[in-house]
Amino acid sequence: MTTRAVDILEKLVGFRSVVGMPNGDIVEWVVAYLKSLGISAHVLPGPEGDRANLFATIGPADKAGYILSGHTDVVPAAEAGWNSDPFVASAEGDKLYGRGTSDMKGFLAAALAAVPALLSRPLSRPIHLAFSYDEEAGCRGVPHLLAHLPDLCAPPLGAIIGEPSGMRAILAHKGKAAARLTLKGRSGHSSRPDLGLNAVHAMTEVQQAAVAASLELSHGLFETEFDPPYSSLSIGTISGGQAVNIIPELCTMELEARAISSVDPQALLAPVRTAAEALEQKGFGVDWQLLSSYPALRLSPTAHLADLLRDLTGIEPLAAVSYGTEAGLYQRAGIDAIICGPGDIGRAHKPNEFIAASELAACQAMIEALGDRCRAET
C-alpha cells in the first residue's frame, strides 16, 4: 500500500464524509490502512450512532507524547463553480483539487503518510492520531474523544491541530457559541391581527436586542492580537411565515457569538436569550437550543509546544486568528494545543478548494521531524 500523501489524499477526498452524515466508510479505510502497518486503531462511536472518532498510537502509549489532531468531516460541496467533481480528486500541476483537500484531509493524509517513517524510528515517546467527526458543526465530535483519552494514553505533552495554516503555527483563536431560537405565536387571518400572535413581529424585538448587544461588544473588552480585537455577535438566519395573508405562527433565528479568549462565548448570547424569554409574558412559546459551543485557545508564546513548532517549522508562530478549531477543547481538557497544518484557510468552504503537493510534503516532513524528536527525547 502506498504511503505517498498525495495518493492517500486522493482516496480520502473520495469519501463523502459531509458534516452531520455517517462517516463509517472513511473511518474503516483509515483503520484498514493502519492495520496494514501493524497499528490497531480505536474506533470511538459518538452518541449519534452513525459517526465515530478514531484514535491510534505509534510508540509507547504509557509515555507522554504528542497528538496529531484532525477531523474527517467536510462542509457540503453543492455550491456552483466547481470545475470538477468535488469528491473526485483532480490534479493540475502541483495542485490537487477536491472538497477537503485543505480543510483538512490534507493534514490527515500527511499524518498517515508519515506513519511508516515513524514506525522505523522507533519512538521513545508516542505520537497519537486523533481523527474526529462533525468539527464543521461546531466541534461536536471531539469532546467524546477527549472523554476517552485517560483510558487510551498517558497525559499528552501537547496536541497539534492540523487546520490549514500554511504550516505556520497559530497560538490563539476565538471561542464560539451558536444557538437556534424558535418563537411560537398563534396563526390566523391577517385581517384580524388582534386575534393572533405574530411570531415574526415578536422576533424583531429579539433582533433589536441582538443588534444592540453586537454594538456594545464592539466597544467592549479588547485583545489586540485578534482581528477584530473584540468579541462579536451576529444573526445568521431568520425565517418565518407561510403567506402574506396568514399571521405567522412560527419564526426561527440562528445566531452566533465569537469570543476573545477572556470571555465565555455562551455568556455573549445571554442578552438575546433574556429578550426572547421575556416574550413568554406576551403569550409566545420560546424554544432556545444551543447548537454548538467551544472555548477560545490561548497558548503562551513561551510554552514548550510553541518552541517545538518554531523548531519544527522554522517559522515564528502567528499570535492569533479569529476562526475557531478544536484546539480550545484540548486546552480545556488540560492539554496544550497549537494549530499547524498544510493548505490555506482562504481556500476552504468554496469551489475548487485545493492543496499543493509541496504543502503536503512539508507537513509530512514536519511530522517525521517530530518523530525524530520523540525518538531522541527521554
Side-chain angles (χ1 to χ4, degrees), residues 51-141:
R51 274 151 276 177
N53 298 302
L54 178 147
F55 189 85
T57 297
I58 303 102
D62 61 340
K63 300 291 181 63
Y66 299 95
I67 293 175
L68 303 178
S69 170
H71 58 86
T72 60
D73 61 303
V74 298
V75 295
E79 69 273 36
W82 283 93
N83 295 332
S84 59
D85 186 335
F87 293 103
V88 177
S90 60
E92 184 177 316
D94 187 48
K95 297 176 181 177
L96 193 71
Y97 291 87
R99 175 56 84 221
T101 47
S102 266
D103 187 14
M104 60 179 297
K105 290 180 176 179
F107 179 77
L108 304 187
L112 292 171
V115 170
L118 298 178
L119 289 170
S120 71
R121 292 321 193 231
L123 306 181
S124 59
R125 290 192 181 277
I127 293 177
H128 310 285
L129 305 179
F131 296 169
S132 65
Y133 69 89
D134 283 3
E135 187 272 349
E136 298 289 3
C139 304
R140 292 181 181 175

Side-chain angles (χ1 to χ4, degrees), residues 23 26-28 30-32 34-35 39-45 52-70 72 108 112 115 126-133 141-142 144-161 326 330 335:
N23 72 339
I26 189 170
V27 169
E28 289 174 6
V30 174
V31 168
L34 293 173
K35 184 178 180 180
I39 298 172
S40 297
H42 299 272
V43 177
L44 308 169
N53 298 302
L54 178 147
F55 189 85
T57 297
I58 303 102
D62 61 340
K63 300 291 181 63
Y66 299 95
I67 293 175
L68 303 178
S69 170
T72 60
L108 304 187
L112 292 171
V115 170
I127 293 177
H128 310 285
L129 305 179
F131 296 169
S132 65
Y133 69 89
V142 76
H144 306 297
L145 187 155
L146 291 170
H148 286 282
L149 273 189
D151 300 322
L152 298 173
C153 64
L157 296 172
I160 300 171
I161 316 302
E326 296 173 332
Y330 275 93
I335 302 167

Side-chain angles (χ1 to χ4, degrees), residues 227-312:
D227 191 12
Y230 48 82
S231 300
S232 61
L233 188 152
S234 64
I235 299 168
T237 68
I238 297 179
S239 60
Q242 303 176 61
V244 70
N245 59 349
I246 301 174
I247 298 170
E249 180 183 31
L250 295 174
C251 188
T252 299
M253 170 193 290
E254 292 183 341
L255 68 161
E256 69 164 31
R258 302 270 178 170
I260 58 177
S261 63
S262 58
V263 175
D264 175 6
Q266 288 192 45
L268 299 178
L269 298 176
V272 183
R273 184 171 186 176
T274 298
E277 291 175 344
L279 293 170
E280 291 176 337
Q281 299 177 12
K282 298 182 179 181
F284 289 92
V286 177
D287 179 64
W288 179 272
Q289 181 183 2
L290 185 67
L291 300 177
S292 62
S293 180
Y294 56 78
L297 167 72
R298 179 174 288 278
L299 181 70
S300 168
T302 61
H304 163 73
L305 195 60
D307 288 337
L308 176 63
L309 267 293
R310 280 189 189 90
D311 291 343
L312 293 177

Side-chain angles (χ1 to χ4, degrees), residues 13 15 99 101 126 138 148 150 189 200 218 225 274 320 338:
V13 168
F15 294 108
R99 175 56 84 221
T101 47
H148 286 282
H189 198 283
V200 172
S218 69
E225 61 267 47
T274 298
I338 198 166

Side-chain angles (χ1 to χ4, degrees), residues 124-217:
S124 59
R125 290 192 181 277
I127 293 177
H128 310 285
L129 305 179
F131 296 169
S132 65
Y133 69 89
D134 283 3
E135 187 272 349
E136 298 289 3
C139 304
R140 292 181 181 175
V142 76
H144 306 297
L145 187 155
L146 291 170
H148 286 282
L149 273 189
D151 300 322
L152 298 173
C153 64
L157 296 172
I160 300 171
I161 316 302
E163 293 284 357
S165 69
M167 294 306 298
R168 183 181 184 183
I170 297 169
L171 301 177
H173 68 63
K174 290 185 177 181
K176 175 185 172 181
R180 178 184 297 120
L181 166 66
T182 301
L183 298 182
K184 184 175 182 180
R186 185 168 58 249
S187 65
H189 198 283
S190 60
S191 65
R192 290 300 307 273
D194 54 312
L195 299 180
L197 286 173
N198 191 314
V200 172
H201 286 186
M203 188 65 82
T204 63
E205 297 184 32
V206 183
Q207 185 178 5
Q208 289 171 354
V211 172
S214 177
L215 180 61
E216 183 177 354
L217 289 173

